[in-house]
Amino acid sequence: CEQVTIIIIIINPGFVLVHFDISPASTDDPDIKQMMAGSTLRKVKSHSWKKHRHFRLLEDGLTIWYKSRWAGRGHSTFSVSDLETVRDGHQSELLLSLSEEFPSDQCFTLVFHGRRGTLDLVADTPEEAKCWVDGLRKLIHKSQTMDCKERLDQWVRDWFTKADKNKDGQMTFKEAKTLLKMMNVEMNEENALHLFTVCNLSLCVLEQHTSASLMSPLLSRDEVWKVFQDFSADGERLLVDELENFLQIEQGEREGRAQELIELYEPSEAARQQMCMSLEGFQLYLCSPHGSIFNPDHEQLHQDMKLPLSHYFISSSHNTYLTGDQLRGQSSTEAYIQALKRGCRCVELDCWDGPDGEPIVYHGHTLTSKILFRDVISTLKEYAFKTSVFPVILSLENHCGLEQQTVMAQHLKKILGEILQTSLINGQVPEQLPSPQDLRGKMLLKGKKLGGLEQRSDETITDEVSDDEDGEMERESVEDLTKDTADSNKQSKLSRELSDLVLYCKSVPFHGFEPARASGKCYEMSSFSESKVKKLTKDGKGSEMVQYNVKQLTRVYPSGMRTDSSNYNPQEMWANGCQLVALNFQTAGLEMDLNDGLFRQNGGCGFVLKPEFMRKTDSEFSPERPESRPGYRPLRLSIQVLSGQQFPKVNQKEGSIVDPLVRVELYGVPKDQSRDETSYINNNGFNPAWNETLNFVVHVPDLALVRFVVEDYDKASRNDFIGQFTLPFTSLQPGYRHVHLLSKDGTPIPHASVFVNVSISELT
């Protein structure tokens, strides 16, 4: 562990010198030692762009610095905490395509959190590559396993490092004032001076375990202290029965939880032995997963996974191969990896005839780049079950001729092997779809099929491609803008080999709810554009769609007019029982926040059980008339927004400080679409306080999502986004809770949170 020594010298009332020294981290480790010495690595961005850069690990043990020999003083840095993993060898499309030029044992790829692109690097020797791969993996593990106090100490060190502009290991009072602005705090000179002389000593030395005390005036939480005082008899500690009282009255916790939380979060050994909790331990508990607004029990698999597939909402991606828009964006196997990492369980493959007899995947009739079908399948095999063990559906949009359809079938069977479900479970034609549990570790092919499961046809049939009624082709697509009408009505033949691989997800045209009720098979499914679903469910007809989706799967996809790969609001589709609500995962925003929020529960496995009233064959639930269903019981949601902690800057200019406000948004059935917000706080993104209460009525709690948004208020233009967190209403924890904010990419913003008090009661 690194040690940080911070010395505060008060020279006179107008000048404070802060000196801090960071000793090297883990310098006994040979890999870390070599990384700190530095290496010249080749950064590879394309077949023609391969340039040497000097990389080294800085003394803080958490920052990677690199520059070109020709860049003068210019350099770049990134934090180890930005890294998700390190892949060694040819585990990126680019390095794989350069395998003849660069040996596998000299290559590695850095994968960042969120939507940031990967970084491909090549070392001069296998030994040097191994050093960086092993060293970075150790540092990533260390970064991911720090406890709350270690993260806080690291946060303090990071700020001091940033504030030391000339990197001389000293910080003048002028730099200290700049530090406050960097931390999103506006403070006059008198208060700033008081802050840095508060310890009232001429010399103060702080070791790592007490370095955070330098920030104690800023980090003090009056609102937490007041809650602590309400339940502490002596105002100094919470005895086990006092903590138990708080947990049951305010937090809605089960009986007997106090002792467990003291052992987990109380930093003082003496207090733990006396079975009590200090104010510091209380604050650590409130900032922990147990004090989060999201129920930590829902981070685990907790729903019944033995029901038919049609009884679940299933995380689904549209145009999964794209990293950008659907006109000129890049197609990449990395996009499939990113979607699968986020819990996606239905990916799309748009397949076309390619050169050399090899099918390709891309957005047809556009300038998007092309990737090989076989490479996509190989990627899916490797990454499909790293995040979730439950089935992955391959949604095939097939534009290939018979010959390359057969090649596709061969690749699927050869590459996937037993992973691909090619036979009926128990050899029986199903009356209802198999369950996620039945299909653990399996892939299902969604596409057209010759005949049904009851019998096999002996001839190759032709299917009429008829606008958006076709069960597989997304006729509301960019191709419609570029192809002749006559071309879209061509007949296409289907390969027997490919047809035989389709079992439980046979694509069929949708001819109406009545025919589906009369003769529809559970394994038959249709695809609908977003506008088609809205048309089918308008005028109070949502109950028919809900009932249809009890037995059969439905896939919904964005309108082809969304050429920028924007998304529609998925909540309207879920409210009508649609399971496979496909979104452009590469496009950040509200819609993906809602998708991430819904599938955050149930262990992030990509399957969420529908409410019971949407799983009954005689269901009469209508999203437009929630009060008409049996058991209707609306709830009142009251959220007291108390304070905010350590919001990031929006404008990186030195003097810019945010004016934050908090908005709470409710999404669900039409009656549950509402929002309310606090006032804004001037010039304080570090520890703003509101103490404002926002109230909502929730008509269908089982379908509602709650989204917390923090914005930087601007009276002259649109507010700037700071962070958000979205979760199911049923995953809300009552009481005093922290909402830990996420970035636009859905990645955590270190230490940024909103402190709230949540109350849920029956509507009287």
Side-chain angles (χ1 to χ4, degrees):
C1 254
E2 65 265 36
Q3 285 237 331
V4 177
T5 303
I6 304 174
I7 304 173
I8 307 174
I9 305 174
I10 305 174
I11 298 177
N12 59 57
F15 185 79
V16 178
L17 180 68
V18 180
H19 176 84
F20 57 97
D21 174 54
I22 305 176
S23 58
S26 305
T27 50
D28 291 338
D29 187 290
D31 294 325
I32 304 300
K33 187 181 296 185
Q34 175 60 41
M35 291 171 65
M36 296 180 86
S39 300
T40 298
L41 306 173
R42 190 170 301 191
K43 182 180 175 182
V44 182
K45 294 175 69 174
S46 69
H47 282 257
S48 58
W49 200 103
K50 311 160 196 168
K51 298 185 179 181
H52 286 93
R53 296 288 184 264
H54 186 69
F55 284 77
R56 67 182 178 91
L57 174 67
L58 297 185
E59 287 76 11
D60 64 1
L62 282 174
T63 304
I64 306 296
W65 175 100
Y66 66 97
K67 66 174 288 187
S68 163
R69 69 182 71 176
W70 311 112
R73 293 189 175 184
H75 66 274
S76 299
T77 62
F78 59 85
S79 173
V80 171
S81 61
D82 296 334
L83 293 174
E84 180 181 310
T85 189
V86 182
R87 301 181 195 148
D88 54 346
H90 297 146
Q91 291 199 61
S92 75
E93 284 179 86
L94 182 56
L95 290 178
L96 183 61
S97 68
L98 294 169
S99 58
E100 293 185 4
E101 182 176 355
F102 300 122
S104 176
D105 57 7
Q106 292 175 218
C107 299
F108 59 101
T109 300
L110 307 187
V111 182
F112 294 87
H113 291 291
R115 291 176 173 83
R116 181 174 173 178
T118 57
L119 179 58
D120 290 318
L121 299 171
V122 182
D124 288 340
T125 65
E127 293 74 23
E128 191 171 46
K130 186 176 186 302
C131 163
W132 278 87
V133 169
D134 292 348
L136 283 169
R137 285 174 176 167
K138 294 171 193 173
L139 293 173
I140 291 170
H141 176 74
K142 176 186 174 184
S143 173
Q144 293 174 343
T145 55
M146 286 192 293
D147 61 27
C148 294
K149 194 169 191 319
E150 289 171 330
R151 291 182 189 279
L152 180 62
D153 288 345
Q154 182 61 48
W155 176 83
V156 172
R157 291 195 294 271
D158 288 346
W159 278 117
F160 276 106
T161 303
K162 291 175 184 176
D164 182 22
K165 295 292 185 182
N166 58 7
K167 307 303 177 189
D168 64 352
Q170 299 178 339
M171 186 166 60
T172 65
F173 181 60
K174 180 180 179 181
E175 287 175 322
K177 288 195 298 180
T178 300
L179 170 62
L180 291 175
K181 288 190 174 182
M182 290 169 62
M183 294 167 65
N184 252 335
V185 181
E186 180 68 53
M187 192 176 290
N188 62 37
E189 187 161 319
E190 180 181 354
N191 289 336
L193 180 60
H194 172 73
L195 176 66
F196 279 81
T197 59
V198 71
C199 50
N200 197 29
L201 294 171
S202 59
L203 184 65
C204 181
V205 180
L206 303 175
E207 299 295 335
Q208 180 187 359
H209 65 282
T210 57
S211 62
S213 65
L214 181 65
M215 290 296 184
S216 58
L218 279 178
L219 294 171
S220 62
R221 301 274 303 276
D222 286 345
E223 72 279 20
V224 173
W225 179 81
K226 288 176 183 176
V227 176
F228 185 84
Q229 293 294 307
D230 286 343
F231 289 86
S232 171
D234 63 6
E236 299 292 331
R237 59 182 180 168
L238 286 172
L239 300 176
V240 67
D241 59 333
E242 294 171 337
L243 179 59
E244 187 73 33
N245 198 28
F246 164 77
L247 293 172
Q248 291 190 39
I249 293 175
E250 298 290 351
Q251 307 296 82
E253 292 278 7
R254 59 175 169 78
E255 189 176 352
R257 197 72 186 272
Q259 182 174 340
E260 175 188 347
L261 294 178
I262 289 172
E263 292 171 351
L264 279 172
Y265 298 112
E266 175 52 51
S268 166
E269 185 176 346
R272 290 197 303 272
Q273 289 178 349
Q274 295 172 20
M275 201 48 65
C276 61
M277 182 175 275
S278 65
L279 176 60
E280 183 180 5
F282 186 65
Q283 186 162 318
L284 286 172
Y285 150 67
L286 287 175
C287 293
S288 75
H290 286 99
S292 168
I293 194 165
F294 183 75
N295 187 338
D297 292 341
H298 290 190
E299 292 180 352
Q300 311 301 319
L301 190 70
H302 65 279
Q303 295 180 344
D304 185 353
M305 303 305 290
K306 297 179 180 179
L307 300 177
L309 287 176
S310 56
H311 289 191
Y312 298 83
F313 298 121
I314 304 172
S315 181
S316 305
S317 170
H318 176 251
N319 290 348
T320 315
Y321 47 88
L322 288 178
T323 60
D325 68 73
Q326 60 185 36
L327 290 180
R328 296 177 177 83
Q330 290 292 311
S331 302
S332 170
T333 56
E334 187 66 35
Y336 286 94
I337 298 172
Q338 295 301 319
L340 292 167
K341 284 195 308 187
R342 296 181 76 157
C344 181
R345 297 287 90 188
C346 177
V347 298
E348 184 179 23
L349 299 87
D350 289 358
C351 304
W352 299 79
D353 285 336
D356 304 320
E358 284 292 340
I360 54 175
V361 173
Y362 85 114
H363 205 253
H365 304 286
T366 67
L367 298 178
T368 57
S369 60
K370 304 171 178 66
I371 51 179
L372 290 173
F373 176 83
R374 68 180 183 216
D375 289 346
V376 173
I377 301 305
S378 295
T379 299
L380 292 174
K381 179 183 181 181
E382 183 171 358
Y383 290 94
F385 304 107
K386 289 184 181 293
T387 297
S388 170
V389 298
F390 295 110
V392 173
I393 298 172
L394 310 184
S395 181
L396 200 64
E397 188 169 319
N398 177 15
H399 302 272
C400 293
L402 280 174
E403 184 177 340
Q404 292 203 20
Q405 287 182 42
T406 301
V407 174
M408 289 164 56
Q410 291 169 350
H411 287 324
L412 286 165
K413 289 187 288 187
K414 182 177 180 181
I415 296 171
L416 298 180
E418 293 184 358
I419 292 176
L420 185 65
Q421 187 75 31
T422 57
S423 60
L424 294 172
I425 295 174
N426 299 325
Q428 300 295 315
V429 176
E431 293 295 323
Q432 61 180 20
L433 287 168
S435 70
Q437 182 67 30
D438 292 332
L439 295 166
R440 282 170 59 101
K442 295 291 187 177
M443 290 192 194
L444 300 176
L445 190 63
K446 170 194 168 291
K448 291 184 181 180
K449 183 174 183 63
L450 305 176
L453 295 181
E454 291 79 7
Q455 73 283 328
R456 293 180 177 271
S457 172
D458 294 326
E459 58 180 335
T460 300
I461 65 171
T462 60
D463 288 328
E464 189 77 22
V465 179
S466 54
D467 200 25
D468 71 339
E469 286 192 354
D470 179 74
E472 172 200 355
M473 306 294 187
E474 296 179 2
R475 304 316 307 170
E476 280 194 20
S477 64
V478 175
E479 296 114 72
D480 294 335
L481 305 178
T482 57
K483 296 172 71 176
D484 294 331
T485 304
D487 188 44
S488 67
N489 288 324
K490 290 191 306 182
Q491 289 188 334
S492 59
K493 292 188 176 181
L494 184 60
S495 157
R496 157 69 63 183
E497 275 194 273
L498 192 60
S499 166
D500 285 349
L501 300 181
V502 176
L503 289 178
Y504 297 113
C505 299
K506 177 187 176 181
S507 297
V508 299
F510 178 76
H511 295 300
F513 294 120
E514 188 57 40
R517 279 194 294 270
S519 58
K521 308 295 185 183
C522 68
Y523 58 81
E524 295 175 337
M525 61 178 294
S526 300
S527 292
F528 302 87
S529 69
E530 53 176 297
S531 58
K532 184 68 175 287
V533 174
K534 292 177 181 178
K535 182 179 178 181
L536 287 169
T537 58
K538 72 177 183 179
D539 301 327
K541 294 182 179 179
S543 59
E544 289 191 279
M545 179 64 89
V546 171
Q547 202 170 65
Y548 169 78
N549 285 317
V550 172
K551 179 181 178 182
Q552 295 173 260
L553 289 172
T554 290
R555 181 175 179 269
V556 186
Y557 58 87
S559 164
M561 301 306 292
R562 296 181 180 274
T563 55
D564 58 351
S565 290
S566 61
N567 284 310
Y568 56 93
N569 188 324
Q571 187 69 26
E572 185 176 350
M573 312 304 165
W574 293 325
N576 286 287
C578 301
Q579 301 91 348
L580 300 157
V581 180
L583 298 178
N584 291 295
F585 271 49
Q586 75 274 25
T587 306
L590 163 66
E591 298 80 13
M592 276 306 299
D593 292 344
L594 295 177
N595 194 79
D596 290 343
L598 175 69
F599 292 104
R600 180 166 283 116
Q601 62 185 310
N602 205 27
C605 74
F607 285 81
V608 168
L609 189 62
K610 293 183 190 179
E612 185 178 4
F613 57 80
M614 301 182 83
R615 307 196 306 261
K616 296 180 178 179
T617 53
D618 59 350
S619 174
E620 296 181 2
F621 170 72
S622 171
E624 295 82 7
R625 299 186 303 275
E627 67 281 357
S628 64
R629 75 175 175 89
Y632 168 70
R633 189 170 63 93
L635 298 176
R636 182 180 299 281
L637 170 64
S638 179
I639 298 176
Q640 184 183 19
V641 181
L642 297 167
S643 63
Q645 293 77 44
Q646 301 155 37
F647 297 152
K649 292 173 76 71
V650 174
N651 188 329
Q652 293 304 315
K653 290 182 180 178
E654 195 171 88
S656 173
I657 297 174
V658 301
D659 305 321
L661 62 83
V662 177
R663 185 170 61 253
V664 178
E665 302 171 347
L666 189 66
Y667 295 89
V669 298
K671 283 190 175 182
D672 284 341
Q673 307 287 339
S674 60
R675 59 177 60 192
D676 198 2
E677 64 185 36
T678 67
S679 58
Y680 66 90
I681 304 294
N682 273 316
N683 290 330
N684 188 352
F686 187 81
N687 53 6
W690 287 277
N691 198 26
E692 298 180 29
T693 300
L694 311 177
N695 292 302
F696 303 88
V697 174
V698 188
H699 295 272
V700 188
D702 290 330
L703 287 176
L705 295 171
V706 183
R707 184 174 185 250
F708 293 83
V709 187
V710 180
E711 291 182 344
D712 178 16
Y713 173 78
D714 193 326
K715 62 181 178 182
S717 62
R718 187 175 181 179
N719 294 348
D720 291 315
F721 175 89
I722 293 176
Q724 69 83 32
F725 186 78
T726 307
L727 74 163
F729 178 88
T730 52
S731 295
L732 280 172
Q733 291 206 102
Y736 290 95
R737 303 292 176 180
H738 279 90
V739 182
H740 298 282
L741 297 179
L742 305 176
S743 69
K744 283 184 179 179
D745 284 342
T747 56
I749 304 174
H751 305 287
S753 64
V754 179
F755 188 47
V756 298
N757 186 9
V758 178
S759 174
I760 300 171
S761 59
E762 290 195 19
L763 189 65
T764 55

